[in-house]
Amino acid sequence: MADQPDNPEVVSAAPIAAPPKRKRHRIAIFLSLLVLIPAVVIALWIWVALGYTYASGQRAGYVQKISKKGWLCKTWEGELAMANLPGTMPQIFTFTVRNDSVARIIEQNIGKQVSLTYEQHKGIPTSCFGETEYFITEAHRVGP
């Protein structure tokens, strides 16, 4: 029995194959997380900034201008002149309108005294949602 080794524990066998490398999967997961995590953080930031109202109130004055502006995201931007006493220099209140029906009411009352109800949203990351942090929610004409 020269064909069999003296030590029964030693048996010649085929070499064990190494497990396949998963380096490609790790790189794909890392790259997707590198894109996904910032996108989720930015989306949450926008959602909180637009959903949380820092302040709200009313301003009255004369609408000087309202126009639809923006390269990609069109928003209504306007100015309200607020004068405390006749003959004094008016204080200018700049605002953004996101609702077209409210913008039409303001457009119809340009040069007339109006009362604007606004909400202030701080920390909005881009000007795509509006150039100011004051968003008009309602507009009413004051006086005759």
Side-chain angles (χ1 to χ4, degrees), residues 103-123:
R104 265 188 252 113
I105 293 170
I106 295 172
E107 265 186 320
Q108 293 168 354
N109 292 304
I110 280 191
K112 300 172 185 163
Q113 191 173 15
V114 295
S115 173
L116 301 177
T117 303
Y118 69 90
E119 292 180 347
Q120 183 180 7
H121 296 273
K122 288 197 170 261

Side-chain angles (χ1 to χ4, degrees), residues 11-17:
V11 178
S12 63
I16 299 174

Side-chain angles (χ1 to χ4, degrees), residues 1-2 4 16 21 25 31 52 56 103 108 110 115 121 134 139:
M1 293 205 169
Q4 297 208 0
I16 299 174
K21 294 184 179 181
H25 296 298
L31 289 177
Y52 176 73
S56 61
Q108 293 168 354
I110 280 191
S115 173
H121 296 273
Y134 298 100

Side-chain angles (χ1 to χ4, degrees), residues 36-53 121-127 129:
L36 189 64
I37 289 174
V40 168
V41 168
I42 290 170
L44 283 173
W45 180 12
I46 292 170
W47 180 66
V48 168
L50 290 176
Y52 176 73
T53 301
H121 296 273
K122 288 197 170 261
I124 296 174
T126 69
S127 63
F129 300 101

